[in-house]
Amino acid sequence: MRPFTAQATYRQGPYREPVIGLPAIARMWEDERTGPDEVFHLTSEIVAVEGDTAVARLEVRYGDRVPQEYRDLWIMRFAEDGRCVSFEEWPFWPTPSTADPAAES
């Protein structure tokens, strides 16, 4: 079973234009990753569910030595059959802390 409906929308950020439909979502995913063997670790927890809408908090780490990481909120709306109708990401990347002396060098 496919995780998205045929005309699902996928928004990569709150101000980004949505990617619409399975073929376009698949192309976007392929364009975003480094390849089928890309190493990443993902942890998640459900924050809220109401009706057909859910929110999850995630932490994503890419690579064996974790050169890139971010935290993300996902807002998802589901069809009656459980497939995703709309998906919206709210990604957050780490920023240097002003209290961290190493951040000033």
Side-chain angles (χ1 to χ4, degrees):
M1 181 168 153
R2 294 178 186 243
F4 290 93
T5 61
Q7 289 302 309
T9 61
Y10 190 116
R11 192 179 298 263
Q12 293 177 283
Y15 295 101
R16 304 273 304 265
E17 288 296 317
V19 176
I20 302 170
L22 286 175
I25 292 170
R27 279 191 306 275
M28 180 264 306
W29 278 347
E30 283 301 314
D31 291 347
E32 294 289 317
R33 69 183 187 156
T34 58
D37 297 327
E38 180 178 43
V39 175
F40 72 94
H41 303 280
L42 178 128
T43 59
S44 64
E45 68 175 299
I46 296 170
V47 174
V49 176
E50 185 173 327
D52 65 355
T53 303
V55 177
R57 180 180 323 152
L58 297 94
E59 185 169 299
V60 185
R61 296 170 176 257
Y62 286 95
D64 284 330
R65 300 176 76 184
V66 190
Q68 179 184 10
E69 67 179 282
Y70 66 96
R71 293 191 177 150
D72 206 350
L73 291 176
W74 290 356
I75 302 170
M76 302 156 285
R77 191 168 52 84
F78 296 94
E80 287 187 19
D81 65 2
R83 293 181 300 156
C84 189
V85 173
S86 68
F87 185 97
E88 183 175 326
E89 291 188 67
W90 286 64
F92 299 89
W93 286 268
T95 57
S97 168
T98 55
D100 180 3
E104 296 178 14
S105 8

